[in-house]
Amino acid sequence: MFNAPDAMPAGRVAPAALDSLSREILELKRSLNAVILAHNYQVAEIQDVADFVGDSLGLARQAARTSADVIVFCGVHFMAETAKILNPSKHVLLPDLDAGCSLESSCPGSKLRALQGTNPNFWTIAYINCSAEVKALADCICTSGNAVKIVNAAPKDRDLLFVPDENLGGWVMEQTGRPMTLWKGDCYVHVEWTHAAITRIRQLHPGAPVVAHPECPKAVRMLADEVCSTEKMVTWCRSTPAKDIIIATEAGMLHRLKKECPDKNFIPAPTDRCACNECRFMKMNTLEKVRDCMANRTPEIQLPPEIAARARVSIERMLEISGRD
Ligand code: 13P
Ligand code: SF4
């Protein structure tokens, strides 16, 4: 039914190997004609029951093309909202409605509107990690997987305003040479990695390349051999001859990488202050909550139709520019 080069088709775990809860979820999936989409940061057992596991871009593409009646979105709120915007008539379930994102909460629509009002020549690019209201105020959406492409395609005569991640925005400015006004938001997980912590782990594993997410601060990105989205981490790690690879992103990524590259050794980059490389929002979803949301058909994402319609224009523009496959 689907062909997803940018996401991992599941079904790699034999049904007999699944526990009873996972089997119950697969049974509910059949009866609801549902598709289960999971982000790379979800806990291992959720990734293992999902139809597709991928990054924000891959999951948005899957949501845009699905023929299922119900989308069970195992990720955070803005991701499920994106799926609903692309599928207004379908049921989109999120196992825990409180699964938010520090980037999303850093950028309320009212404050963005006020900033936009200061320069009528602004052309606003919103990282997908934002609310539907902010998407509705943006000219185009981007993800970490296509941000460079989106900025390169932006009108040359406009002043670019990039919200809400100043680290991703800074990295894109470095890649494209295009100046942008940056919103001062960040991912509370990725800013925990420091130059000192990465330098220390490199010394312990000489020769191991470092792969970092662009939400990391510049001091960390400068030390990385590759800076990319979570899905591109999979393709990069597959193709590098290196056996030991240091990963600076959320801990759930390790499960996906180990599955895709079983012959490689992935070393989670340590943070300085604590072992805080887990996103508490991503980890709000559990297998039990996945089962319950399917059994009860709630919590369900609901959106004001006029906001959804406007946000859809910006998301569709992104999909047109970056390709739907
Ligand atoms: P990706 O789109 O690279 O998976 O990133 C999403 C995210 O929330 C990173 O923190
Ligand atoms: Fe948001 Fe950071 Fe969690 Fe990603 S890891 S969902 S950016 S808080």
Side-chain angles (χ1 to χ4, degrees):
M1 177 165 49
F2 300 102
N3 179 20
D6 50 6
M8 182 190 74
R12 292 185 187 178
V13 178
L18 293 171
D19 60 24
S20 64
L21 188 52
S22 303
R23 282 201 299 272
E24 205 182 325
I25 288 170
L26 295 184
E27 196 43 55
L28 280 162
K29 188 167 79 89
R30 271 187 290 276
S31 66
L32 293 173
N33 186 28
V35 66
I36 303 177
L37 306 181
H39 187 264
N40 286 320
Y41 296 163
Q42 290 294 286
V43 292
E45 54 274 24
I46 290 183
Q47 292 194 29
D48 291 346
V49 293
D51 293 288
F52 294 98
V53 183
D55 68 356
S56 309
L57 180 58
L59 295 169
R61 284 171 170 156
Q62 290 300 327
R65 68 168 71 120
T66 185
S67 59
D69 297 321
V70 175
I71 299 172
V72 182
F73 209 108
C74 302
V76 291
H77 192 270
F78 74 81
M79 296 178 175
E81 230 175 31
T82 303
K84 179 67 182 175
I85 291 164
L86 289 165
N87 294 281
S89 63
K90 292 186 197 283
H91 297 281
V92 178
L93 305 173
L94 178 63
D96 191 322
L97 265 194
D98 290 330
C101 169
S102 65
L103 280 167
E104 175 179 356
S105 52
S106 78
C107 188
S110 55
K111 286 198 177 158
L112 173 58
R113 208 176 291 109
L115 179 59
Q116 287 174 322
T118 64
N119 181 354
N121 201 38
F122 268 148
W123 202 75
T124 306
I125 300 175
Y127 185 30
I128 198 163
N129 297 38
C130 64
S131 65
E133 189 187 357
V134 166
K135 287 184 177 75
L137 289 169
D139 293 290
C140 192
I141 304 305
C142 75
T143 72
S144 59
N146 62 17
V148 169
K149 207 171 186 181
I150 299 294
V151 169
N152 278 331
K156 299 285 177 257
D157 58 339
R158 302 291 293 274
D159 301 325
L160 298 191
L161 170 61
F162 189 93
V163 302
D165 188 357
E166 66 172 330
N167 287 305
L168 175 66
W171 176 72
V172 176
M173 283 207 292
E174 289 155 27
Q175 303 301 304
T176 61
R178 185 97 193 248
M180 301 194 290
T181 300
L182 303 180
W183 189 269
K184 297 232 166 295
D186 59 39
C187 163
Y188 89 99
V189 179
H190 285 86
V191 293
E192 286 295 332
W193 280 287
T194 62
H195 192 277
I198 301 293
T199 303
R200 273 199 305 278
I201 191 81
R202 276 205 112 139
Q203 283 161 355
L204 287 176
H205 301 274
V210 174
V211 180
H213 197 275
E215 289 172 8
C216 290
K218 181 169 183 170
V220 168
R221 299 196 309 266
M222 278 167 55
L223 292 176
D225 297 270
E226 176 67 5
V227 176
C228 59
S229 76
T230 59
E231 198 56 33
K232 285 190 185 157
M233 286 183 185
V234 176
T235 37
W236 196 89
C237 291
R238 234 190 246 131
S239 62
T240 180
K243 286 280 176 224
D244 295 335
I245 308 168
I246 299 165
I247 302 292
T249 198
E250 209 270 352
M253 191 66 216
L254 276 289
H255 178 70
R256 175 79 200 281
L257 285 168
K258 282 180 201 156
K259 255 177 133 169
E260 296 283 350
C261 313
D263 55 328
K264 307 222 165 168
N265 177 34
F266 295 103
I267 303 148
T271 52
D272 257 344
R273 294 187 303 170
C274 52
C276 33
N277 60 348
E278 283 207 340
C279 172
R280 67 173 182 274
F281 303 113
M282 286 281 179
K283 267 38 186 191
M284 281 179 179
N285 296 327
T286 61
L287 211 49
E288 284 79 8
K289 289 185 195 171
V290 175
R291 186 265 322 272
D292 292 349
C293 83
M294 294 173 82
N296 304 325
R297 297 187 70 151
T298 187
E300 185 177 354
I301 301 289
Q302 306 279 7
L303 278 168
E306 59 294 351
I307 288 187
R310 180 62 194 87
R312 187 178 175 133
V313 174
S314 319
I315 299 171
E316 291 283 354
R317 187 170 286 145
M318 169 188 83
L319 292 173
E320 285 312 317
I321 294 170
S322 81
R324 286 175 178 273
D325 298 312

